Amino acid sequence: MKDLFLADTHLLDPCDEPYLRLLDFLDGQCGSLRSLVMLGDIFEFWLGYRHTVFSAYLPLLERLRRLHEAGTELVFVEGNHDFHLGPYFSETLDCRILPDGGALERDGRKIFIAHGDLVNPKDTGYRVLRRVLRHPLSHRLMMLVPPDTAWRIARWASAKSSRKNGGRERHSLPHDDLLNYARQRFSEGYDTVITGHFHVPLLHHENGHTLIALGDWTKQPSYAVLEDGVFTLYPS
Ligand SMILES: [Mn+2]
């Protein structure tokens, strides 16, 4: 049995190639996963309503339900695109939700998982906005928006941001901030730190500690596997 770590698939349209690739990939993993750990931005946009989910996400949610029924533990660290996961995840899928990341114990290893959006300590503006948006009151206000309207706004915002980037996303890894963040966790007793968010894969070993940054799911799907106490990062 193994544990699978995945981030930044940014799913939006179930006809998109990366989305279909993820469904195939998860179908192939069913029955062999002890846990599936999603480290945020799995969805390009998510809002947890009580009785509604976005229909574009039904294919993935069905895969997650199958994994859960096959005995896979689901863990979700909220990203900056998908927070307020709500009752579908917590109740229907029995998913363990970590809004700000947290600890995971596997094979005697003490692992800290986080999305990665809090790696830069100087990004105070983002931190304030993040706290406001994640406040339970914000969730209640957002749920007053009809799901069709929320979805339309999300698609518009997504198209706008990809137009702004000229259709090409540019990603880079803030090495120093990320290393400092990981070293802080190592000093707290964690032996492994795993993040997503930067879309650039990294596997770094240091004094018996391991730092993994997951890539995304565009051209070369990126994920990490923990099996028999050893981490492997793909693409390797
Ligand atoms: Mn992110």
Short mmCIF file of all heavy atoms in Angstrom, two decimals, residues 29-86:
data_model
loop_
_atom_site.label_atom_id
_atom_site.label_comp_id
_atom_site.label_asym_id
_atom_site.label_seq_id
_atom_site.Cartn_x
_atom_site.Cartn_y
_atom_site.Cartn_z
N GLN A 29 -5.03 3.65 -9.85
CA GLN A 29 -4.51 3.56 -8.48
C GLN A 29 -5.50 2.92 -7.51
O GLN A 29 -5.14 2.56 -6.40
CB GLN A 29 -4.19 4.97 -7.95
CG GLN A 29 -3.19 5.75 -8.78
CD GLN A 29 -1.80 5.18 -8.66
OE1 GLN A 29 -1.42 4.64 -7.63
NE2 GLN A 29 -1.03 5.27 -9.73
N CYS A 30 -6.76 2.80 -7.96
CA CYS A 30 -7.81 2.35 -7.05
C CYS A 30 -7.49 0.95 -6.51
O CYS A 30 -7.14 0.05 -7.25
CB CYS A 30 -9.16 2.34 -7.78
SG CYS A 30 -10.54 2.40 -6.64
N GLY A 31 -7.55 0.82 -5.19
CA GLY A 31 -7.26 -0.47 -4.55
C GLY A 31 -5.84 -0.58 -4.04
O GLY A 31 -5.53 -1.48 -3.27
N SER A 32 -4.96 0.35 -4.46
CA SER A 32 -3.57 0.23 -4.02
C SER A 32 -3.13 1.41 -3.15
O SER A 32 -1.96 1.53 -2.82
CB SER A 32 -2.64 0.11 -5.23
OG SER A 32 -2.65 1.32 -5.96
N LEU A 33 -4.08 2.31 -2.83
CA LEU A 33 -3.70 3.51 -2.08
C LEU A 33 -4.16 3.43 -0.63
O LEU A 33 -5.35 3.24 -0.36
CB LEU A 33 -4.31 4.77 -2.70
CG LEU A 33 -3.79 5.22 -4.07
CD1 LEU A 33 -4.42 6.56 -4.42
CD2 LEU A 33 -2.28 5.32 -4.08
N ARG A 34 -3.22 3.63 0.29
CA ARG A 34 -3.59 3.79 1.69
C ARG A 34 -4.21 5.17 1.88
O ARG A 34 -5.22 5.34 2.53
CB ARG A 34 -2.34 3.66 2.56
CG ARG A 34 -2.59 3.90 4.03
CD ARG A 34 -1.41 3.51 4.87
NE ARG A 34 -0.17 4.16 4.45
CZ ARG A 34 1.02 3.98 5.05
NH1 ARG A 34 1.10 3.20 6.09
NH2 ARG A 34 2.10 4.58 4.60
N SER A 35 -3.60 6.18 1.27
CA SER A 35 -4.21 7.51 1.33
C SER A 35 -3.92 8.30 0.06
O SER A 35 -2.91 8.07 -0.62
CB SER A 35 -3.74 8.29 2.57
OG SER A 35 -2.36 8.53 2.53
N LEU A 36 -4.84 9.19 -0.24
CA LEU A 36 -4.65 10.16 -1.31
C LEU A 36 -4.62 11.53 -0.64
O LEU A 36 -5.60 11.95 -0.02
CB LEU A 36 -5.79 10.10 -2.33
CG LEU A 36 -5.81 11.23 -3.37
CD1 LEU A 36 -4.57 11.18 -4.26
CD2 LEU A 36 -7.07 11.15 -4.23
N VAL A 37 -3.46 12.19 -0.72
CA VAL A 37 -3.29 13.47 -0.06
C VAL A 37 -3.28 14.57 -1.13
O VAL A 37 -2.36 14.63 -1.96
CB VAL A 37 -1.98 13.49 0.76
CG1 VAL A 37 -1.85 14.80 1.53
CG2 VAL A 37 -1.93 12.30 1.71
N MET A 38 -4.32 15.40 -1.11
CA MET A 38 -4.44 16.48 -2.10
C MET A 38 -3.98 17.77 -1.44
O MET A 38 -4.49 18.15 -0.39
CB MET A 38 -5.90 16.56 -2.57
CG MET A 38 -6.34 15.30 -3.31
SD MET A 38 -8.13 15.13 -3.51
CE MET A 38 -8.57 14.33 -1.97
N LEU A 39 -2.99 18.40 -2.06
CA LEU A 39 -2.37 19.56 -1.41
C LEU A 39 -2.83 20.90 -1.99
O LEU A 39 -2.05 21.85 -2.08
CB LEU A 39 -0.84 19.45 -1.46
CG LEU A 39 -0.29 18.49 -0.41
CD1 LEU A 39 -0.04 17.13 -1.02
CD2 LEU A 39 0.97 19.02 0.21
N GLY A 40 -4.07 20.98 -2.39
CA GLY A 40 -4.64 22.26 -2.77
C GLY A 40 -4.56 22.60 -4.25
O GLY A 40 -3.75 22.06 -4.99
N ASP A 41 -5.47 23.48 -4.67
CA ASP A 41 -5.62 23.87 -6.07
C ASP A 41 -5.84 22.66 -6.97
O ASP A 41 -5.41 22.64 -8.12
CB ASP A 41 -4.44 24.73 -6.55
CG ASP A 41 -4.44 26.11 -5.90
OD1 ASP A 41 -5.34 26.38 -5.08
OD2 ASP A 41 -3.55 26.92 -6.20
N ILE A 42 -6.50 21.67 -6.42
CA ILE A 42 -6.95 20.53 -7.22
C ILE A 42 -8.03 21.04 -8.18
O ILE A 42 -8.09 20.68 -9.34
CB ILE A 42 -7.52 19.42 -6.30
CG1 ILE A 42 -6.41 18.89 -5.37
CG2 ILE A 42 -8.18 18.30 -7.11
CD1 ILE A 42 -5.23 18.26 -6.06
N PHE A 43 -8.87 21.95 -7.65
CA PHE A 43 -9.91 22.57 -8.46
C PHE A 43 -9.50 23.99 -8.81
O PHE A 43 -8.93 24.70 -7.97
CB PHE A 43 -11.23 22.62 -7.68
CG PHE A 43 -11.71 21.28 -7.20
CD1 PHE A 43 -11.54 20.89 -5.88
CD2 PHE A 43 -12.31 20.39 -8.08
CE1 PHE A 43 -11.98 19.65 -5.43
CE2 PHE A 43 -12.75 19.14 -7.65
CZ PHE A 43 -12.58 18.77 -6.32
N GLU A 44 -9.82 24.41 -10.01
CA GLU A 44 -9.57 25.82 -10.37
C GLU A 44 -10.47 26.72 -9.53
O GLU A 44 -10.09 27.83 -9.18
CB GLU A 44 -9.83 26.01 -11.87
CG GLU A 44 -9.69 27.42 -12.38
CD GLU A 44 -8.25 27.94 -12.38
OE1 GLU A 44 -7.33 27.15 -12.09
OE2 GLU A 44 -8.06 29.14 -12.64
N PHE A 45 -11.63 26.21 -9.18
CA PHE A 45 -12.53 26.95 -8.29
C PHE A 45 -13.45 25.96 -7.57
O PHE A 45 -13.98 25.04 -8.18
CB PHE A 45 -13.39 27.95 -9.07
CG PHE A 45 -14.41 28.65 -8.21
CD1 PHE A 45 -14.01 29.61 -7.29
CD2 PHE A 45 -15.76 28.33 -8.29
CE1 PHE A 45 -14.94 30.23 -6.46
CE2 PHE A 45 -16.69 28.95 -7.48
CZ PHE A 45 -16.28 29.91 -6.57
N TRP A 46 -13.57 26.16 -6.28
CA TRP A 46 -14.49 25.33 -5.52
C TRP A 46 -15.18 26.20 -4.49
O TRP A 46 -14.58 27.11 -3.92
CB TRP A 46 -13.73 24.20 -4.78
CG TRP A 46 -14.64 23.37 -3.93
CD1 TRP A 46 -14.99 23.60 -2.63
CD2 TRP A 46 -15.33 22.19 -4.32
NE1 TRP A 46 -15.86 22.63 -2.20
CE2 TRP A 46 -16.09 21.75 -3.22
CE3 TRP A 46 -15.39 21.46 -5.52
CZ2 TRP A 46 -16.90 20.61 -3.28
CZ3 TRP A 46 -16.19 20.33 -5.56
CH2 TRP A 46 -16.92 19.92 -4.45
N LEU A 47 -16.43 25.91 -4.25
CA LEU A 47 -17.13 26.54 -3.14
C LEU A 47 -18.08 25.50 -2.57
O LEU A 47 -18.89 24.93 -3.31
CB LEU A 47 -17.89 27.78 -3.63
CG LEU A 47 -18.65 28.58 -2.57
CD1 LEU A 47 -17.77 28.99 -1.41
CD2 LEU A 47 -19.29 29.82 -3.20
N GLY A 48 -17.92 25.22 -1.30
CA GLY A 48 -18.69 24.14 -0.69
C GLY A 48 -20.09 24.56 -0.29
O GLY A 48 -20.30 25.10 0.80
N TYR A 49 -21.05 24.33 -1.17
CA TYR A 49 -22.46 24.52 -0.82
C TYR A 49 -22.93 23.29 -0.05
O TYR A 49 -22.31 22.23 -0.12
CB TYR A 49 -23.31 24.68 -2.09
CG TYR A 49 -23.05 25.95 -2.86
CD1 TYR A 49 -22.09 25.98 -3.88
CD2 TYR A 49 -23.75 27.12 -2.58
CE1 TYR A 49 -21.85 27.14 -4.59
CE2 TYR A 49 -23.50 28.29 -3.30
CZ TYR A 49 -22.56 28.29 -4.30
OH TYR A 49 -22.31 29.44 -4.99
N ARG A 50 -24.07 23.44 0.65
CA ARG A 50 -24.54 22.29 1.43
C ARG A 50 -25.11 21.18 0.56
O ARG A 50 -24.85 20.01 0.78
CB ARG A 50 -25.57 22.76 2.48
CG ARG A 50 -26.26 21.60 3.20
CD ARG A 50 -26.41 21.77 4.68
NE ARG A 50 -25.19 21.64 5.46
CZ ARG A 50 -24.65 20.47 5.87
NH1 ARG A 50 -25.21 19.33 5.54
NH2 ARG A 50 -23.56 20.46 6.59
N HIS A 51 -25.91 21.54 -0.44
CA HIS A 51 -26.60 20.50 -1.20
C HIS A 51 -26.25 20.49 -2.68
O HIS A 51 -26.97 19.88 -3.48
CB HIS A 51 -28.12 20.66 -1.05
CG HIS A 51 -28.58 20.55 0.38
ND1 HIS A 51 -28.53 19.38 1.09
CD2 HIS A 51 -29.05 21.50 1.23
CE1 HIS A 51 -28.98 19.60 2.32
NE2 HIS A 51 -29.28 20.89 2.43
N THR A 52 -25.20 21.21 -3.05
CA THR A 52 -24.88 21.35 -4.48
C THR A 52 -23.38 21.18 -4.69
O THR A 52 -22.59 21.68 -3.89
CB THR A 52 -25.28 22.78 -4.95
OG1 THR A 52 -26.65 22.98 -4.63
CG2 THR A 52 -25.05 22.96 -6.43
N VAL A 53 -23.00 20.50 -5.76
CA VAL A 53 -21.61 20.56 -6.20
C VAL A 53 -21.60 20.96 -7.68
O VAL A 53 -22.60 20.76 -8.38
CB VAL A 53 -20.88 19.20 -6.03
CG1 VAL A 53 -20.71 18.84 -4.56
CG2 VAL A 53 -21.57 18.08 -6.79
N PHE A 54 -20.50 21.53 -8.13
CA PHE A 54 -20.43 21.95 -9.54
C PHE A 54 -20.37 20.70 -10.43
O PHE A 54 -19.55 19.81 -10.23
CB PHE A 54 -19.20 22.84 -9.76
CG PHE A 54 -19.28 24.12 -8.99
CD1 PHE A 54 -18.37 24.40 -7.97
CD2 PHE A 54 -20.26 25.07 -9.27
CE1 PHE A 54 -18.45 25.58 -7.25
CE2 PHE A 54 -20.34 26.25 -8.56
CZ PHE A 54 -19.44 26.51 -7.54
N SER A 55 -21.24 20.67 -11.44
CA SER A 55 -21.37 19.45 -12.26
C SER A 55 -20.07 19.12 -12.98
O SER A 55 -19.79 17.95 -13.25
CB SER A 55 -22.53 19.59 -13.25
OG SER A 55 -22.30 20.69 -14.09
N ALA A 56 -19.25 20.12 -13.29
CA ALA A 56 -17.98 19.85 -13.97
C ALA A 56 -17.07 18.96 -13.12
O ALA A 56 -16.16 18.32 -13.65
CB ALA A 56 -17.27 21.17 -14.29
N TYR A 57 -17.32 18.93 -11.81
CA TYR A 57 -16.44 18.17 -10.94
C TYR A 57 -16.97 16.78 -10.59
O TYR A 57 -16.33 16.03 -9.86
CB TYR A 57 -16.15 18.97 -9.66
CG TYR A 57 -15.34 20.21 -9.94
CD1 TYR A 57 -15.60 21.41 -9.31
CD2 TYR A 57 -14.31 20.17 -10.86
CE1 TYR A 57 -14.86 22.55 -9.58
CE2 TYR A 57 -13.55 21.30 -11.14
CZ TYR A 57 -13.84 22.49 -10.50
OH TYR A 57 -13.10 23.60 -10.77
N LEU A 58 -18.15 16.44 -11.14
CA LEU A 58 -18.72 15.13 -10.81
C LEU A 58 -17.79 13.97 -11.19
O LEU A 58 -17.65 13.02 -10.41
CB LEU A 58 -20.09 14.95 -11.49
CG LEU A 58 -21.20 15.79 -10.86
CD1 LEU A 58 -22.50 15.65 -11.67
CD2 LEU A 58 -21.46 15.38 -9.40
N PRO A 59 -17.10 14.02 -12.37
CA PRO A 59 -16.21 12.88 -12.68
C PRO A 59 -15.12 12.68 -11.63
O PRO A 59 -14.85 11.55 -11.22
CB PRO A 59 -15.60 13.27 -14.04
CG PRO A 59 -16.63 14.17 -14.66
CD PRO A 59 -17.21 14.96 -13.51
N LEU A 60 -14.52 13.76 -11.15
CA LEU A 60 -13.48 13.59 -10.13
C LEU A 60 -14.09 13.15 -8.80
O LEU A 60 -13.58 12.25 -8.13
CB LEU A 60 -12.67 14.88 -9.91
CG LEU A 60 -11.62 14.66 -8.82
CD1 LEU A 60 -10.49 13.77 -9.30
CD2 LEU A 60 -11.07 15.95 -8.27
N LEU A 61 -15.20 13.77 -8.43
CA LEU A 61 -15.83 13.41 -7.14
C LEU A 61 -16.23 11.94 -7.12
O LEU A 61 -16.12 11.27 -6.09
CB LEU A 61 -17.04 14.32 -6.88
CG LEU A 61 -16.70 15.81 -6.73
CD1 LEU A 61 -17.99 16.63 -6.62
CD2 LEU A 61 -15.80 16.05 -5.53
N GLU A 62 -16.64 11.44 -8.28
CA GLU A 62 -16.99 10.01 -8.37
C GLU A 62 -15.75 9.15 -8.15
O GLU A 62 -15.80 8.13 -7.45
CB GLU A 62 -17.62 9.75 -9.75
CG GLU A 62 -17.91 8.30 -10.06
CD GLU A 62 -18.85 7.62 -9.06
OE1 GLU A 62 -19.52 8.31 -8.27
OE2 GLU A 62 -18.89 6.37 -9.07
N ARG A 63 -14.61 9.56 -8.72
CA ARG A 63 -13.36 8.81 -8.48
C ARG A 63 -12.98 8.86 -7.01
O ARG A 63 -12.53 7.86 -6.44
CB ARG A 63 -12.21 9.41 -9.29
CG ARG A 63 -12.01 8.99 -10.73
CD ARG A 63 -13.09 8.21 -11.34
NE ARG A 63 -12.86 7.92 -12.73
CZ ARG A 63 -13.64 8.37 -13.72
NH1 ARG A 63 -14.67 9.15 -13.47
NH2 ARG A 63 -13.40 8.02 -14.97
N LEU A 64 -13.15 10.01 -6.37
CA LEU A 64 -12.80 10.12 -4.95
C LEU A 64 -13.72 9.23 -4.12
O LEU A 64 -13.28 8.59 -3.16
CB LEU A 64 -12.90 11.58 -4.49
CG LEU A 64 -11.92 12.56 -5.16
CD1 LEU A 64 -12.10 13.96 -4.58
CD2 LEU A 64 -10.47 12.11 -4.99
N ARG A 65 -14.99 9.18 -4.51
CA ARG A 65 -15.94 8.32 -3.78
C ARG A 65 -15.53 6.86 -3.90
O ARG A 65 -15.53 6.11 -2.93
CB ARG A 65 -17.36 8.53 -4.33
CG ARG A 65 -18.46 7.90 -3.48
CD ARG A 65 -19.80 7.91 -4.18
NE ARG A 65 -19.78 7.14 -5.42
CZ ARG A 65 -19.82 5.80 -5.48
NH1 ARG A 65 -19.90 5.09 -4.38
NH2 ARG A 65 -19.79 5.19 -6.65
N ARG A 66 -15.12 6.46 -5.11
CA ARG A 66 -14.69 5.07 -5.32
C ARG A 66 -13.45 4.75 -4.48
O ARG A 66 -13.35 3.68 -3.90
CB ARG A 66 -14.36 4.82 -6.80
CG ARG A 66 -15.58 4.55 -7.63
CD ARG A 66 -15.15 4.16 -9.04
NE ARG A 66 -16.06 4.73 -10.00
CZ ARG A 66 -15.78 4.93 -11.29
NH1 ARG A 66 -14.60 4.61 -11.76
NH2 ARG A 66 -16.68 5.43 -12.08
N LEU A 67 -12.51 5.69 -4.45
CA LEU A 67 -11.30 5.48 -3.65
C LEU A 67 -11.67 5.32 -2.18
O LEU A 67 -11.19 4.42 -1.49
CB LEU A 67 -10.33 6.65 -3.84
CG LEU A 67 -9.55 6.69 -5.16
CD1 LEU A 67 -8.89 8.04 -5.35
CD2 LEU A 67 -8.50 5.58 -5.19
N HIS A 68 -12.55 6.20 -1.71
CA HIS A 68 -12.99 6.15 -0.31
C HIS A 68 -13.62 4.79 -0.02
O HIS A 68 -13.33 4.16 1.00
CB HIS A 68 -13.97 7.30 -0.05
CG HIS A 68 -14.64 7.21 1.28
ND1 HIS A 68 -13.96 7.17 2.46
CD2 HIS A 68 -15.96 7.13 1.61
CE1 HIS A 68 -14.81 7.07 3.47
NE2 HIS A 68 -16.03 7.05 2.98
N GLU A 69 -14.46 4.32 -0.94
CA GLU A 69 -15.13 3.02 -0.74
C GLU A 69 -14.14 1.87 -0.79
O GLU A 69 -14.37 0.83 -0.17
CB GLU A 69 -16.24 2.83 -1.78
CG GLU A 69 -17.42 3.71 -1.46
CD GLU A 69 -18.69 3.32 -2.19
OE1 GLU A 69 -18.61 2.52 -3.14
OE2 GLU A 69 -19.74 3.83 -1.79
N ALA A 70 -13.04 2.06 -1.51
CA ALA A 70 -12.00 1.01 -1.59
C ALA A 70 -11.08 1.06 -0.38
O ALA A 70 -10.12 0.31 -0.31
CB ALA A 70 -11.20 1.17 -2.89
N GLY A 71 -11.35 2.00 0.56
CA GLY A 71 -10.58 2.05 1.80
C GLY A 71 -9.47 3.08 1.82
O GLY A 71 -8.68 3.12 2.77
N THR A 72 -9.37 3.92 0.79
CA THR A 72 -8.34 4.95 0.75
C THR A 72 -8.75 6.13 1.64
O THR A 72 -9.88 6.63 1.53
CB THR A 72 -8.15 5.48 -0.69
OG1 THR A 72 -7.72 4.38 -1.52
CG2 THR A 72 -7.13 6.59 -0.76
N GLU A 73 -7.84 6.55 2.50
CA GLU A 73 -8.12 7.74 3.31
C GLU A 73 -7.89 8.98 2.44
O GLU A 73 -6.84 9.11 1.80
CB GLU A 73 -7.19 7.80 4.53
CG GLU A 73 -7.54 8.97 5.44
CD GLU A 73 -6.45 9.32 6.47
OE1 GLU A 73 -5.44 8.60 6.55
OE2 GLU A 73 -6.62 10.32 7.17
N LEU A 74 -8.85 9.89 2.43
CA LEU A 74 -8.71 11.13 1.65
C LEU A 74 -8.32 12.27 2.58
O LEU A 74 -8.91 12.44 3.65
CB LEU A 74 -10.02 11.46 0.95
CG LEU A 74 -10.59 10.39 0.00
CD1 LEU A 74 -11.93 10.84 -0.57
CD2 LEU A 74 -9.61 10.12 -1.15
N VAL A 75 -7.30 13.01 2.18
CA VAL A 75 -6.84 14.17 2.95
C VAL A 75 -6.76 15.34 1.98
O VAL A 75 -6.30 15.19 0.85
CB VAL A 75 -5.43 13.91 3.56
CG1 VAL A 75 -4.96 15.11 4.37
CG2 VAL A 75 -5.43 12.65 4.42
N PHE A 76 -7.23 16.51 2.41
CA PHE A 76 -7.22 17.68 1.52
C PHE A 76 -6.70 18.90 2.28
O PHE A 76 -7.27 19.31 3.28
CB PHE A 76 -8.64 17.96 1.01
CG PHE A 76 -8.69 18.76 -0.28
CD1 PHE A 76 -9.15 18.16 -1.46
CD2 PHE A 76 -8.28 20.08 -0.33
CE1 PHE A 76 -9.21 18.89 -2.64
CE2 PHE A 76 -8.33 20.80 -1.51
CZ PHE A 76 -8.80 20.21 -2.67
N VAL A 77 -5.59 19.44 1.81
CA VAL A 77 -5.10 20.72 2.31
C VAL A 77 -5.68 21.79 1.37
O VAL A 77 -5.53 21.70 0.16
CB VAL A 77 -3.55 20.79 2.25
CG1 VAL A 77 -3.07 22.16 2.68
CG2 VAL A 77 -2.94 19.71 3.11
N GLU A 78 -6.35 22.77 1.94
CA GLU A 78 -7.00 23.74 1.07
C GLU A 78 -5.98 24.63 0.37
O GLU A 78 -4.96 25.02 0.95
CB GLU A 78 -7.99 24.59 1.90
CG GLU A 78 -9.14 23.73 2.43
CD GLU A 78 -10.23 24.53 3.13
OE1 GLU A 78 -9.97 25.68 3.52
OE2 GLU A 78 -11.33 23.99 3.27
N GLY A 79 -6.25 24.94 -0.89
CA GLY A 79 -5.37 25.81 -1.67
C GLY A 79 -5.93 27.22 -1.75
O GLY A 79 -6.91 27.55 -1.09
N ASN A 80 -5.32 28.05 -2.58
CA ASN A 80 -5.85 29.40 -2.74
C ASN A 80 -6.94 29.46 -3.81
O ASN A 80 -7.55 30.49 -4.01
CB ASN A 80 -4.73 30.41 -3.03
CG ASN A 80 -3.83 29.97 -4.15
OD1 ASN A 80 -3.29 28.87 -4.11
ND2 ASN A 80 -3.65 30.80 -5.15
N HIS A 81 -7.21 28.32 -4.49
CA HIS A 81 -8.32 28.25 -5.43
C HIS A 81 -9.48 27.43 -4.89
O HIS A 81 -10.58 27.49 -5.42
CB HIS A 81 -7.86 27.61 -6.75
CG HIS A 81 -7.08 28.52 -7.63
ND1 HIS A 81 -7.58 29.07 -8.78
CD2 HIS A 81 -5.80 28.99 -7.52
CE1 HIS A 81 -6.66 29.82 -9.36
NE2 HIS A 81 -5.57 29.79 -8.61
N ASP A 82 -9.19 26.60 -3.90
CA ASP A 82 -10.25 25.72 -3.39
C ASP A 82 -10.22 25.64 -1.87
O ASP A 82 -9.51 24.83 -1.30
CB ASP A 82 -10.15 24.31 -4.02
CG ASP A 82 -8.72 23.78 -4.11
OD1 ASP A 82 -7.81 24.41 -3.52
OD2 ASP A 82 -8.50 22.75 -4.75
N PHE A 83 -10.97 26.55 -1.25
CA PHE A 83 -11.11 26.52 0.20
C PHE A 83 -12.61 26.55 0.52
O PHE A 83 -13.41 26.58 -0.41
CB PHE A 83 -10.35 27.66 0.89
CG PHE A 83 -10.54 29.00 0.26
CD1 PHE A 83 -11.50 29.89 0.74
CD2 PHE A 83 -9.77 29.40 -0.82
CE1 PHE A 83 -11.67 31.13 0.17
CE2 PHE A 83 -9.95 30.65 -1.41
CZ PHE A 83 -10.90 31.51 -0.91
N HIS A 84 -12.97 26.50 1.78
CA HIS A 84 -14.37 26.28 2.16
C HIS A 84 -14.88 25.02 1.45
O HIS A 84 -15.85 25.06 0.71
CB HIS A 84 -15.26 27.47 1.79
CG HIS A 84 -14.88 28.75 2.47
ND1 HIS A 84 -14.63 28.83 3.82
CD2 HIS A 84 -14.70 30.01 1.98
CE1 HIS A 84 -14.31 30.07 4.13
NE2 HIS A 84 -14.33 30.80 3.05
N LEU A 85 -14.18 23.92 1.66
CA LEU A 85 -14.53 22.69 0.94
C LEU A 85 -15.94 22.23 1.26
O LEU A 85 -16.65 21.74 0.40
CB LEU A 85 -13.53 21.59 1.27
CG LEU A 85 -12.24 21.64 0.46
CD1 LEU A 85 -11.41 20.41 0.77
CD2 LEU A 85 -12.49 21.73 -1.02
N GLY A 86 -16.34 22.38 2.52
CA GLY A 86 -17.73 22.14 2.86
C GLY A 86 -18.10 20.68 3.05
O GLY A 86 -17.26 19.78 3.03
#
